Amino acid sequence: MSVPKYNEFFPYVLNCLSDNEKHTVKEITEYCVNETKLTEDDKKETLSSGIPVYSNRVGWSITYLKKAGLIEKASRSVYRITKSGKKAVEEGAEKVDLNYLRNFPSFLKFQSSKPTEENKKAEPAEKSESPEEQIEFAIKEIHASLQDDLLNEVLKMSPFDFEILVVKLLQKMGYGSLKKSEEAVTKKSGDEGIDGIVSSDKFGFDSIYIQAKKWQTTSSVGRPEIQKFLGALAGQGATKGIFITTTHFSKEAIEFANKQLHQKIVLVDGEQLSKLMIEYDVGVSIVETYSIKRVDYDFFNNEI
């Protein structure tokens, strides 16, 4: 048989994890290969990047099931089934398809920032988007998955290394000169409530003070933390500050930061942090590049 589509691997991934044990991606992939009876020729089929097609599709199957909450990551490249996943298996794993996953809000959020009834009901092939729009949609899904993986890696860093990462990101964004960035991170984490300093431009005008909090995504940064940072800024006579965290900010924290008139405080949560890392190529590398071409009508309108 040919290599199943990524959504056709859903039942096999769930059945593999239905023993309630933790399994690595490699183990899940081997299970899927055996259960679908892929031939040696099937396994030799690769993408232009050299990655086996079956491996890529099982990987995306895992990502989709995780986004729907049917499975969860136990540790790096290790997964286990959830209560929702067990229920799906009990009802019949073969019934789990894209429409089934669209019953879960977390999956709809992953698929689209603005879920519509059409998104909930229509299979990708039935949608009315142009090929270019489908490509953009696919890129957004790839980035959404990459954001999760990035944050998982960031959460493994030490607080000091996280501070260095934040300053490197800001430098990539155009803040601070190379000389300034070498001294940007304070020698001691949390020194006087400031974790780093960068200049607002490459000429060194104006200093921007940084607070970097590496917290688990289950918690949130509240107003008291922003108040402490504001006090630290005042103590330095600073007017500009960036508070960056791996988690999210409470409503009260956001409102408090927005009300400040004498100090400008920018809040960057985990989602925005991961997006910026992707945009400015920090902690990521390019795997494949595709070009889209069109007819050059100017060429044909001129005399050849």
Side-chain angles (χ1 to χ4, degrees):
M1 66 177 290
S2 58
V3 180
K5 298 176 181 177
Y6 72 88
N7 54 296
E8 293 173 340
F9 275 118
F10 292 162
Y12 299 104
V13 174
L14 286 172
N15 285 331
C16 175
L17 297 172
S18 63
D19 60 2
N20 297 318
E21 298 294 331
K22 298 177 183 178
H23 291 282
T24 65
V25 171
K26 182 179 179 181
E27 291 170 343
I28 296 171
T29 302
E30 290 176 350
Y31 178 92
C32 291
V33 167
N34 293 331
E35 289 297 309
T36 55
K37 297 179 172 56
L38 294 185
T39 65
E40 289 303 315
D41 287 337
D42 291 333
K43 289 187 281 187
K44 289 178 182 178
E45 187 179 346
T46 63
L47 301 174
S48 57
S49 61
I51 299 174
V53 170
Y54 75 89
S55 176
N56 176 265
R57 291 181 180 177
V58 172
W60 274 107
S61 178
I62 291 172
T63 294
Y64 273 46
L65 291 171
K66 180 169 75 74
K67 290 296 182 181
L70 300 187
I71 65 175
E72 62 183 4
K73 183 176 285 188
S75 58
R76 186 175 184 178
S77 298
V78 178
Y79 292 85
R80 61 189 170 201
I81 200 166
T82 63
K83 289 183 179 179
S84 296
K86 292 176 185 177
K87 182 180 178 182
V89 172
E90 291 171 0
E91 294 174 347
E94 68 282 354
K95 297 178 182 178
V96 178
D97 56 13
L98 287 170
N99 279 331
Y100 184 94
L101 299 190
R102 291 188 183 104
N103 291 313
F104 299 90
S106 59
F107 182 74
L108 288 178
K109 182 180 179 181
F110 164 65
Q111 276 210 314
S112 172
S113 58
K114 295 181 180 179
T116 63
E117 288 303 314
E118 180 185 3
N119 287 338
K120 294 177 183 178
K121 297 177 181 179
E123 293 293 329
E126 298 172 352
K127 290 185 177 180
S128 58
E129 291 94 342
S130 68
E132 287 85 357
E133 290 172 323
Q134 292 177 38
I135 291 172
E136 288 185 6
F137 180 78
I139 290 174
K140 286 180 181 178
E141 287 194 325
I142 291 171
H143 281 186
S145 177
L146 177 58
Q147 282 179 242
D148 273 0
D149 293 338
L150 268 177
L151 277 180
N152 284 332
E153 293 304 312
V154 170
L155 287 170
K156 297 174 187 176
M157 302 175 77
S158 69
F160 185 71
D161 286 339
F162 177 59
E163 293 166 13
I164 294 175
L165 165 69
V166 166
V167 173
K168 284 184 178 179
L169 172 61
L170 291 173
Q171 186 189 349
K172 276 277 191 112
M173 293 172 67
Y175 292 94
S177 63
L178 180 61
K179 181 178 180 180
K180 181 69 177 176
S181 69
E182 290 173 352
E183 301 173 352
V185 178
T186 54
K187 295 181 179 180
K188 183 179 179 182
S189 177
D191 185 18
E192 296 184 2
I194 302 298
D195 293 327
I197 307 170
V198 293
S199 54
S200 60
D201 55 48
K202 294 184 178 180
F203 291 105
F205 293 110
D206 291 332
S207 292
I208 299 177
Y209 291 75
I210 306 164
Q211 178 72 59
K213 288 289 186 184
K214 187 180 75 70
W215 284 7
Q216 292 299 318
T217 54
T218 52
S219 59
S220 65
V221 177
R223 173 171 170 163
E225 292 296 327
I226 307 303
Q227 288 177 310
K228 290 178 185 176
F229 183 46
L230 180 64
L233 291 178
Q236 297 288 335
T239 58
K240 298 178 181 178
I242 301 178
F243 196 118
I244 299 182
T245 182
T246 50
T247 185
H248 59 279
F249 296 95
S250 69
K251 180 182 177 181
E252 294 75 17
I254 295 172
E255 291 176 347
F256 179 78
N258 291 337
K259 288 179 180 177
Q260 302 311 308
L261 299 177
H262 302 294
Q263 279 93 7
K264 174 65 176 178
I265 301 177
V266 174
L267 305 182
V268 179
D269 62 16
E271 181 178 357
Q272 188 177 356
L273 170 62
S274 58
K275 284 181 179 179
L276 289 171
M277 289 177 67
I278 294 171
E279 181 179 353
Y280 290 95
D281 294 325
V282 176
V284 298
S285 57
I286 297 174
V287 176
E288 191 65 79
T289 302
Y290 299 93
S291 346
I292 298 176
K293 300 182 180 181
R294 64 172 178 82
V295 174
D296 184 353
Y297 292 103
D298 291 337
F299 173 85
F300 290 100
N301 288 333
N302 295 325
E303 292 184 5
I304 301 177

